[in-house]
Amino acid sequence: QVQLVESGGGLVHAGESVRLSCVASGFTFGIYGMSWFRQVPGKERELVAYISINGSNTRYADSVKGRFTISKDNAKNTAYLQMNSLKSEDTAVYYCNAVAGYPTSTVRPWFSSWGQGTQVTVSS
């Protein structure tokens, strides 16, 4: 029922920009915050960015602060991740997920089932 469809990734050169999209369905998008995670094979999935229900608050991993921007459009049930000044270290599969409530310290994905993710490969 719940679907999270990520798109927008691809092969890019270091220094370039990409915008990822996450189209959500099967739940009430407008009462959840949203988040982006990324994962490299052999490593734990890590939080990249978070945005609150109404978009008023955001959080970013230290490694992407100043380069990435998360946003959401409740009317379109879509979250976005604008990624600028990409580095080879940003290479990963990027996933989105919902966030319930108002996280204080830890942002946790709400749904246990993840989408397919979208691969971002940054070449030097």
Side-chain angles (χ1 to χ4, degrees), residues 29-34 50-59 72 74 98-110:
F29 187 84
I31 62 171
Y32 291 89
M34 291 296 292
Y50 156 78
I51 186 167
S52 60
I53 295 170
N54 62 2
S56 62
N57 294 303
T58 57
R59 300 179 191 175
K72 73 195 297 267
N74 289 339
V99 178
Y102 299 91
T104 55
S105 60
T106 303
V107 174
R108 301 182 183 277
W110 184 245

Side-chain angles (χ1 to χ4, degrees), residues 39-94:
Q39 187 170 33
V40 176
K43 294 188 64 178
E44 184 77 12
R45 201 190 315 257
E46 66 171 349
L47 176 70
V48 175
Y50 156 78
I51 186 167
S52 60
I53 295 170
N54 62 2
S56 62
N57 294 303
T58 57
R59 300 179 191 175
Y60 299 93
D62 289 340
S63 60
V64 307
K65 285 181 179 177
R67 299 189 298 118
F68 291 10
T69 302
I70 186 172
S71 61
K72 73 195 297 267
D73 187 336
N74 289 339
K76 296 181 178 180
N77 286 8
T78 303
Y80 305 93
L81 184 67
Q82 178 68 44
M83 306 189 295
N84 298 327
S85 302
L86 284 164
K87 305 175 180 179
S88 60
E89 293 79 14
D90 296 318
T91 295
V93 178
Y94 285 74

